[in-house]
Amino acid sequence: MALDRAEPVKAPNVYDAEPIPEAARAEIDRLMATGDLFRYTAPADAPVALLERDFAALMGTKYALAVSSCSAAIYLSLRALDLETGTRVLIPAFTFAAVPSAVVHANCQPVLVEVGENYRIDMADFEAKLDDTIGAVIISHMRGHTSDMDAIMALCNARGVPVIEDAAHSLGTLWHGKKIGTIGRIGCFSFQSYKMVNAGEGGILITDDADLVARAVIMSGAYEHNWKKHGTDPELDAAFARWQNELPLYNMRMQNLSAVVIRPQLGDVLTRRINDGLAKHDYVADLLNGSPWLHVPPPLAPETRAPDSIQFNLVGFDSDDEAKAFADAAATRGVKVQVFGLSADNARAFWNWRFIPGERQELPQTRAMLMRACDVRLPPRLTTDELDFIVDALVSAAEDIKGETRAYGT
Ligand SMILES: *Cc1c(COP(=O)(O)O)cnc(C)c1O
């Protein structure tokens, strides 16, 4: 797999974003000219309101609420569920620190569930921990990997426990053909720059539940009667009337500039990113799986993925030092690999979530996975040459450490 080219391909910069579609410009100029940045100034059809309408239509849900981040969406979801202080909320032990943080922010207690070598929730541990003390469940589709949503929904529905889907990094993923984020009571998405749609920052929550969305809308900062700009449906109006003046206002609104940057990314642009992301991920996955030292776990059968990064496990790396040496060798070859559990202060390593109150929770299975699981960004815009460069660097780095003998001819 050594590169043999007249003009060597440079290591791609996987952190650069794609340009914002040209179509955003006219609206940005209009906002610049008018200064109309606050979502509730216009009497109707403000860009944020139009984004909510577009996003709900895209996802096939009744309601959407755009906010300042996915973390804000998760926080507001927990508050909308009206959980008592101290409620125990089940979350996967492999997620981003923002998730346990949102739980703590909502005065609830995160309870961590084991995650397997395939980055998906360990269903035996989930079932064991889903006892009468659990008031809500957040399913983080971490890096877009979908856990067994059939089993999760059956167990949670049987107990009447609400499920919030953290689909921050899963826009476009399907489960039995159904859009991820529409399976639980509420779905939350991120528009932070490293996600499928880039507004720098931003988030949105979707639900079919009028009462939940009304509560979330008010708490997001729809003070006085600004909720009237969230559509007119009798069920929603009744819910707003019920909650008027009953809830605190946390001011987690989205501003119009973010919405005009997001809207032109939702149509063909998103479809192209989803399709290319999956094709390019699978191209790289097949090649990495050709190495005896690297393993990309397959998706679950009902899952159609929409990845913009790739995760794989180091196989036969007996020590953490060997795993670190692999990451160093890949870096030398121009590709930055993060071994989740081995980079300092990684926000996805549960032992770094020391802000969680109470006794430290130990998750040996998740810890073992994090010590060998690698993360490489793979934005859908990469060319085949750039993908080949990444594959070559990773496969060669593994051979640097583990020797070439088994890499060929097996
Ligand atoms: C990015 C991310 C978040 C946080 O999203 P923000 O919009 O940055 O708050 C939460 N969960 C997961 C799984 C993420 O990938």
Side-chain angles (χ1 to χ4, degrees):
M1 191 140 327
L3 277 176
D4 181 18
R5 295 171 199 281
E7 281 185 51
V9 180
K10 279 206 317 216
N13 183 337
V14 295
Y15 294 93
D16 286 352
E18 287 184 30
I20 301 304
E22 194 56 35
R25 261 181 216 257
E27 267 295 273
I28 292 172
D29 287 347
R30 188 186 67 80
L31 294 181
M32 292 290 114
T34 59
D36 178 21
L37 299 179
F38 181 52
R39 68 163 298 168
Y40 293 130
T41 302
D45 294 338
V48 180
L50 296 178
L51 166 64
E52 290 169 345
R53 187 200 63 192
D54 290 356
F55 200 82
L58 175 72
M59 301 304 288
T61 55
K62 281 195 192 159
Y63 311 112
L65 169 65
V67 290
S68 51
S69 68
C70 182
S71 301
I74 296 171
Y75 169 74
L76 290 169
S77 300
L78 291 164
R79 296 300 312 249
L81 288 168
D82 203 16
L83 305 175
E84 276 172 35
T85 295
T87 296
R88 287 158 55 83
V89 177
L90 222 50
I91 67 170
F94 177 42
T95 183
F96 187 58
V99 176
S101 302
V103 176
V104 170
H105 190 189
N107 294 320
C108 294
Q109 173 67 36
V111 178
L112 308 183
V113 181
E114 288 275 28
V115 170
E117 277 190 348
N118 66 354
Y119 321 128
R120 290 161 176 88
I121 291 170
D122 179 294
M123 287 311 301
D125 196 48
F126 183 86
E127 193 167 355
K129 287 179 176 157
L130 185 70
D131 60 18
D132 292 341
T133 72
I134 299 298
V137 166
I138 301 177
I139 301 299
S140 265
H141 305 297
M142 184 55 173
R143 287 291 188 273
H145 297 287
T146 312
S147 294
D148 184 346
M149 290 307 291
D150 297 344
I152 287 167
M153 292 312 297
L155 288 166
C156 291
N157 288 340
R159 291 184 165 270
V161 176
V163 173
I164 298 168
E165 283 184 81
D166 165 18
H169 218 151
S170 271
L171 182 56
T173 303
L174 305 175
W175 177 258
H176 293 295
K178 193 172 161 56
K179 292 190 170 72
I180 278 296
T182 66
I183 296 172
R185 282 273 288 283
I186 309 179
C188 302
F189 296 84
S190 175
F191 301 124
Q192 186 268 341
S193 291
Y194 294 160
K195 312 299 160 103
M196 203 51 114
V197 169
N198 167 25
E201 303 285 357
I204 198 162
L205 68 83
I206 54 173
T207 183
D208 285 333
D209 188 318
D211 213 56
L212 281 183
V213 83
R215 288 174 57 86
V217 163
I218 291 174
M219 287 189 281
S220 77
Y223 61 93
E224 294 162 357
H225 290 178
N226 280 316
W227 48 259
K228 287 182 177 148
K229 295 173 182 172
H230 284 263
T232 50
D233 130 13
E235 218 189 331
L236 199 55
D237 288 349
F240 282 127
R242 242 185 334 272
W243 295 112
Q244 179 75 57
N245 299 342
E246 299 292 331
L247 298 167
L249 307 168
Y250 295 110
N251 286 8
M252 295 173 157
R253 294 175 298 254
M254 179 181 278
Q255 62 134 325
N256 282 337
L257 261 181
S258 307
V260 304
V261 168
I262 292 166
R263 289 184 69 218
Q265 295 181 62
L266 290 182
D268 296 346
V269 174
L270 178 60
T271 306
R272 193 244 313 143
R273 286 180 192 162
I274 291 168
N275 293 338
D276 287 0
L278 181 59
K280 291 173 185 187
H281 171 280
D282 287 357
Y283 174 79
V284 171
D286 278 351
L287 293 172
L288 295 186
N289 280 330
S291 163
W293 314 112
L294 307 176
H295 177 62
V296 183
L300 300 186
E303 187 183 2
T304 307
R305 304 199 59 228
D308 60 9
S309 64
I310 191 161
Q311 289 70 46
F312 57 92
N313 295 326
L314 298 176
V315 180
F317 282 63
D318 300 322
S319 69
D320 294 350
D321 285 346
E322 264 189 356
K324 276 187 197 138
F326 165 78
D328 291 344
T332 304
R333 291 173 175 279
V335 173
K336 189 165 172 281
V337 177
Q338 200 172 52
V339 183
F340 288 105
L342 291 177
S343 67
D345 303 322
N346 194 304
R348 299 147 201 93
F350 64 84
W351 52 88
N352 290 328
W353 307 337
R354 292 202 292 263
F355 53 84
I356 296 181
E359 264 178 54
R360 295 276 80 81
Q361 301 175 48
E362 193 39 74
L363 293 295
Q365 191 188 344
T366 308
R367 181 183 285 269
M369 177 275 283
L370 291 168
M371 289 307 196
R372 296 294 177 271
C374 300
D375 192 25
V376 174
R377 281 182 53 76
L378 217 55
R381 63 176 163 75
L382 295 187
T383 63
T384 305
D385 279 351
E386 290 172 327
L387 299 175
D388 286 341
F389 183 97
I390 291 173
V391 168
D392 183 71
L394 296 174
V395 170
S396 303
E399 287 166 9
D400 290 346
I401 308 307
K402 298 302 290 184
E404 304 201 5
T405 39
R406 282 189 51 201
Y408 295 100
T410 50

